[in-house]
Amino acid sequence: MSDVSGAELRALMARVPSVEKIMASAEFAALLGEYGRTQVLGAVRRALDNWRISAQSGEASVSALDTTPLRATVEAALRRRNESRLRSVFNLTGTVLHTNLGRALLPDEAVHAVVKALTQPVNLEFDLGTGKRGDRDDLIDELICELTGAEAATVVNNNAAAVLLTLSALASRKEVIVSRGELVEIGGAFRIPDIMSRAGAKLREVGTTNRTHLKDYAEAIGPNTALLMKVHASNYAINGFTKEVGLDELAPLGRARGVAVAVDLGSGTLVDLSQWGLPREPTVRETIEAGADLVTFSGDKLLGGPQAGLIVGRRDLVAKIKKHPLKRALRVGKLTLAALEPVLQLYRAPEKLTERLTTLRLLTRPADDIRVVAERVLPALQRAVGERYTVVAEPMFSQIGSGALPVDVLPSHGLVIRTADGKRGGRHLLALEKLLREMPRPVIGRIADDALRLDLRCLEAADEAQLIAQLQGNP
Ligand SMILES: *Cc1c(COP(=O)(O)O)cnc(C)c1O
């Protein structure tokens, strides 16, 4: 670590080859071919600068300046720089629709459609019947209406956008009546009162946090009321002495008083999930049939598609929404439409859905199947984490995620890692959690009850093989 003398340093610096010479060497030709001159030049300069800095503290070896090691240094730096920041991970958190990990995984049909739309021109806004300009919603609105029973539909960037657009188009400078029990924050700064003011609508709160009655809505309706709105509580539940007004009561009130009823369903499933033992969520069709004039819901939650917000309902209201200038700002791109259509088409064969729709397949995966996976992965994981930790396969509970009921509901199985000495291992578990997170394909679990827990519900066959290989040191 000793500093070098001035004379020694000058002698060392004289050994640094010229950038031109390095760039012209045969060994750099392949790098130039792959990364282009600009990048390689920058990387060579940075490598030489780094060498000079270490030379000053006596830490540089002259042999590192030889063409072969220098090329290896430059190549490694270029590779790191050009790695995608968006990485594939293993979602072993037990939350199937994990917002921070990208929510729904899409089936192959959607992947192929996206590739096609990316690489070939498509009739995104081109009417092939007339040869004139078309409307991108035309590609998909009939299918959405078929599946939901709605008269009309439009698609925007996400459900937050769907709510913002609906309120902007229908309730700007007017009042929207919402129960105090439904003034929710969904997370990521989506709060109903904030969206309301952004849309220029005036929020008229009625009822109380735990109880709202039909007469609360009825008494609040005035000449300036634009909408009665219901919001799915999504990520929380009020228990005990509660009363909420269902659509069966609210819709007739809206109709009698000439005020539209809008429902933000959040997850918005298209099929009754209780047929597979999952929690019952109102479907979009049921909500329309119960008299909602408009329903908004996400494309990438229970629906299992790409990020999108769907607005369905009365033809006149949807037409008004589509004419609003914000619709242009919030519209979806061709990739979203390309992915959404095949996902929606899967719903035409509901009996095949648990096999074909990735989200539903994961949500309905039997705990016994997951246990078998856990037993297969266990030896590789035990060997990878070493003797300081013990790994056992244990039952656990997965969550649906994304604001579908926030409680543990899905019996699952996974691997539980504890410190081998049985002591509370907070620090060691955090270190292990970090180690797994830093693997070539990061492994994301969760720490709870003095253990690192890897829920294997979302580990399907190809990923299982890849995880085992990675744990064995060959990613
Ligand atoms: C998730 C959710 C939203 C936001 O939907 P995004 O698609 O994430 O924008 C809005 N409202 C409710 C009730 C939700 O559950």
Side-chain angles (χ1 to χ4, degrees):
M1 268 290 198
S2 65
D3 276 1
V4 261
S5 75
E8 278 171 331
L9 194 58
R10 273 192 299 281
L12 268 177
M13 292 304 172
R15 307 287 292 271
V16 178
S18 81
V19 172
E20 289 71 37
K21 197 174 143 223
I22 297 169
M23 296 288 286
S25 75
E27 285 204 59
F28 274 71
L31 281 188
L32 285 165
E34 184 175 353
Y35 293 101
R37 190 178 159 75
T38 310
Q39 282 205 90
V40 178
L41 189 63
V44 167
R45 288 195 172 128
R46 279 190 297 275
L48 295 181
D49 285 346
N50 290 340
W51 187 89
R52 289 189 186 97
I53 291 166
S54 26
Q56 279 168 13
S57 48
E59 287 169 66
S61 81
V62 177
S63 63
L65 293 171
D66 291 344
T67 316
T68 306
L70 192 62
R71 197 200 60 120
T73 307
V74 168
E75 182 169 15
L78 284 168
R79 191 169 298 143
R80 270 196 308 278
R81 254 168 81 85
N82 285 284
E83 243 169 31
S84 172
R85 299 293 164 96
L86 188 66
R87 308 257 305 273
S88 294
V89 304
F90 290 103
N91 173 12
L92 307 188
T93 60
T95 300
V96 176
L97 295 167
H98 198 301
T99 296
N100 307 136
L101 301 181
R103 288 194 187 159
L105 303 178
L106 273 69
D108 286 346
E109 292 87 338
V111 175
H112 298 318
V114 168
V115 170
K116 197 177 71 177
L118 274 169
T119 52
Q120 296 170 355
V122 288
N123 60 329
L124 177 64
E125 286 189 347
F126 185 81
D127 185 331
L128 291 171
T130 62
K132 300 219 166 73
R133 191 200 156 120
D135 174 347
R136 63 185 68 200
D137 280 332
D138 289 350
L139 298 168
I140 205 151
D141 59 0
E142 272 176 37
L143 180 53
I144 298 173
C145 291
E146 173 192 322
L147 296 171
T148 59
E151 286 174 9
T154 184
V155 185
V156 289
N157 185 50
N158 54 27
N159 189 34
V163 177
L164 176 67
L165 177 60
T166 299
L167 292 172
S168 303
L170 303 181
S172 174
R173 289 195 286 274
K174 300 214 179 94
E175 279 184 6
V176 180
I177 302 176
V178 188
S179 159
R180 289 195 170 88
E182 297 173 15
L183 291 175
V184 297
E185 170 177 316
I186 307 295
F190 180 85
R191 293 172 143 192
I192 292 296
D194 296 346
I195 292 276
M196 204 67 83
S197 60
R198 281 284 153 198
K202 190 167 179 324
L203 170 63
R204 177 77 196 266
E205 304 174 20
V206 295
T208 60
T209 308
N210 59 331
R211 288 175 71 84
T212 301
H213 305 274
L214 188 63
K215 72 171 175 18
D216 295 326
Y217 287 95
E219 286 166 6
I221 296 176
N224 205 29
T225 307
L227 285 176
L228 303 176
M229 187 175 179
K230 280 190 70 66
V231 182
H232 191 287
S234 287
N235 52 4
Y236 88 118
I238 305 182
N239 297 311
F241 186 55
T242 62
K243 161 92 174 92
E244 92 168 275
V245 178
L247 263 186
D248 53 332
E249 291 179 277
L250 201 59
L253 173 67
R255 258 196 309 280
R257 306 284 294 270
V259 181
V261 177
V263 179
D264 176 19
L265 262 192
S267 255
T269 173
L270 298 180
V271 283
D272 178 6
L273 299 173
S274 65
Q275 64 185 297
W276 298 291
L278 294 166
R280 229 198 97 63
E281 288 276 328
T283 67
V284 178
R285 180 181 288 279
E286 286 163 359
T287 310
I288 291 286
E289 282 172 356
D293 296 295
L294 276 176
V295 183
T296 51
F297 55 103
S298 284
D300 58 351
K301 292 183 179 173
L302 286 172
L303 194 147
Q307 179 188 305
L310 287 77
I311 306 173
V312 305
R314 252 168 57 190
R315 195 182 313 281
D316 58 325
L317 299 177
V318 171
K320 206 165 166 197
I321 286 169
K322 287 181 63 156
K323 279 204 216 88
H324 192 275
L326 261 186
K327 160 70 177 164
R328 172 64 180 78
L330 302 173
R331 74 182 185 188
V332 287
K334 61 182 177 177
L335 304 188
T336 304
L337 290 170
L340 187 55
E341 185 182 34
V343 169
L344 290 173
Q345 278 168 346
L346 293 182
Y347 282 90
R348 284 176 164 160
E351 54 288 324
K352 301 275 184 195
L353 217 47
T354 56
E355 196 184 308
R356 294 178 181 167
L357 186 69
T358 314
T359 297
L360 198 57
R361 186 171 68 239
L362 293 174
L363 289 173
T364 56
R365 205 172 179 196
D368 272 344
D369 292 6
I370 308 171
R371 179 175 51 76
V372 175
V373 179
E375 282 158 8
R376 281 198 299 256
V377 177
L378 193 153
L381 181 64
Q382 178 67 73
R383 241 171 290 143
V385 299
E387 297 172 350
R388 297 182 68 181
Y389 302 94
T390 54
V391 183
V392 280
E394 285 183 13
M396 51 182 69
F397 287 95
S398 315
Q399 297 192 0
I400 296 175
S402 275
L405 288 184
V407 284
D408 291 334
V409 283
L410 311 176
S412 185
H413 220 87
L415 294 169
V416 180
I417 313 172
R418 299 185 178 84
T419 51
D421 56 17
K423 290 198 193 119
R424 300 182 54 127
R427 201 159 42 84
H428 297 295
L429 288 176
L430 283 173
L432 187 63
E433 184 267 339
K434 183 164 184 283
L435 212 69
L436 290 175
R437 189 159 31 83
E438 288 173 350
M439 297 196 88
R441 179 169 170 187
V443 178
I444 315 293
R446 74 194 150 96
I447 292 179
D449 303 328
D450 267 311
L452 177 56
R453 289 162 193 277
L454 306 179
D455 185 322
L456 301 188
R457 171 175 300 278
C458 297
L459 194 72
E460 295 201 282
D463 281 352
E464 179 190 330
Q466 199 192 5
L467 177 63
I468 291 174
Q470 174 169 282
L471 290 170
Q472 289 168 341
N474 17 287

